[in-house]
Amino acid sequence: MNFSELFKQTNQLCKFSPNGEYLANCVQYRLIIRDVKTLQIIQLYTCLDGIQYIEWSSDSKFVLCGMYKRGIVQVWSLDQSEWTCKIDEGSAGLVAVRWSPDGRHILTTADFHLRITVWSLVNKSVSYIKYPKDTKQGIDFSRDGKYMALAERRDGQDFISIFAANTWHLVKHFESNTRDLQGVEWSPDGRVLCVWDSILEYKVLLYSVDGRCIATYSAYEHALGIKCIAWSPSSQFLAIGSFDQIVRVLNHITWKTVAEHNHVPILDNTSVVTYREVEKRPKVMKPDRTWPPMSSMFSVQSKYEIQDNPVQIPVVKPDPDKPNPKIGVSMVSFSPDNKYMASKNENMPNALWIWDVQKLTQVVLMLQVNSIRCLQWDPHQPRLAMSTGNNKMYMWSPAGCVSVEVPTEASFQVNSLQWSLDGAAILLMGKDRMCVCFLADPDT
């Protein structure tokens, strides 16, 4: 592994381009475009105000910057430096912005979710979509870019509208049998739309493109329900993480549960490999002016040790007086080859659970010293990267675990991370700085 130097960034607004050639990051009101291989600045743009959101177009030719406080979106072109675009929502305000899959239309959401406006960069046309529901996951495009599903709220009832993403014509409009729709998400093959209810009611609905309800699933009643969902890359499984600390996996044929993965406080399974992070302080040595950096000489080092089961997992008791209790499965993610699934239980913040999808059993438990903040799979192979808010990056693969310290002279805490689409680099982001970790080719 090779680490770059530290670069400034603001609000962790850093993203790799879809083609893997560029890295965009923001420093207050400036947008910086770098070459991924050399990290040299190739473009520098100045926006009208502090940037609060950035997103690449699908073809990596444009970058949009959202300035929600001023209700403005600015779009920049990498090919034509003199070309500029500004979208002003005016008094309607701006709370969200995103690209359409074709990379030539921009969707902006007005204040209080009054409407969604579709802006065309091709012919400068503008169209409006009324009644969008005020939810973070109320809009989703199918992977092939053909359809857009939108959650709507009309006269106190939930509806779903499906649009053709190339013409923005309404394909299907139907009522959703939900009390308070929380989110919509297409399956990777684009055949099924998953709709789930609010946390107050455990209900999952599966719809086809033509609006037919294929199946309805509910695990229990009269308790806090769904916390997160995740489709497997093959669309064969739908994983549902809930407040009762269980991940339920549904199959795509009968939409019945094929597995229920419970996050127990005491793990007594000899077939599960338990990795525990162990920290130790290095011995005081004479400083070397070249390597390692001074900060890393006195930092706490860590390594993984395999622990015998049974093992006690640290549990944090949630505060019942506070809203959004820290309990239940908050993260579920499948590996790109569909072989593994990782999950995190909110009231066991230091533990990562890895399950074998084919055998429907747990294979690995990782116990960290600090709470897990971010985890993400390599886009091409079963390799998981993880951060816990310290100066280290952690990785797991079927071959084992590794803890890697970021060799920087200044203190740097990894709060979140992001893989490049080719899996050759990992972007590590702290509070106001970032660096890139370049991975060696496994073949060489």
Side-chain angles (χ1 to χ4, degrees), residues 128-201:
Y128 300 99
I129 302 174
K130 295 181 180 180
Y131 313 114
K133 187 174 172 66
D134 186 2
T135 176
K136 291 182 179 179
Q137 295 171 288
I139 182 172
D140 191 41
F141 288 94
S142 58
R143 297 281 179 91
D144 57 10
K146 289 183 178 180
Y147 300 107
M148 180 187 80
L150 177 68
E152 299 179 356
R153 188 77 170 179
R154 304 187 185 191
D155 301 324
Q157 179 61 45
D158 291 330
F159 292 86
I160 296 172
S161 289
I162 297 178
F163 296 86
N166 56 346
T167 62
W168 302 107
H169 290 157
L170 183 65
V171 175
K172 198 70 181 178
H173 176 75
F174 54 93
E175 185 175 334
S176 171
N177 188 22
T178 51
R179 184 174 297 179
D180 184 12
L181 191 153
Q182 197 66 23
V184 297
E185 187 171 330
W186 289 102
S187 61
D189 60 9
R191 295 181 178 181
V192 180
L193 179 68
C194 176
V195 178
W196 63 98
D197 219 320
S198 72
I199 62 173
L200 299 178
E201 184 168 351

Side-chain angles (χ1 to χ4, degrees), residues 352-368:
L352 178 70
W353 310 66
I354 299 178
W355 316 84
D356 189 308
V357 175
Q358 296 173 342
K359 297 179 181 178
L360 303 175
T361 57
Q362 185 182 358
V363 289
V364 170
L365 174 68
M366 294 176 65
L367 295 176
Q368 303 295 128

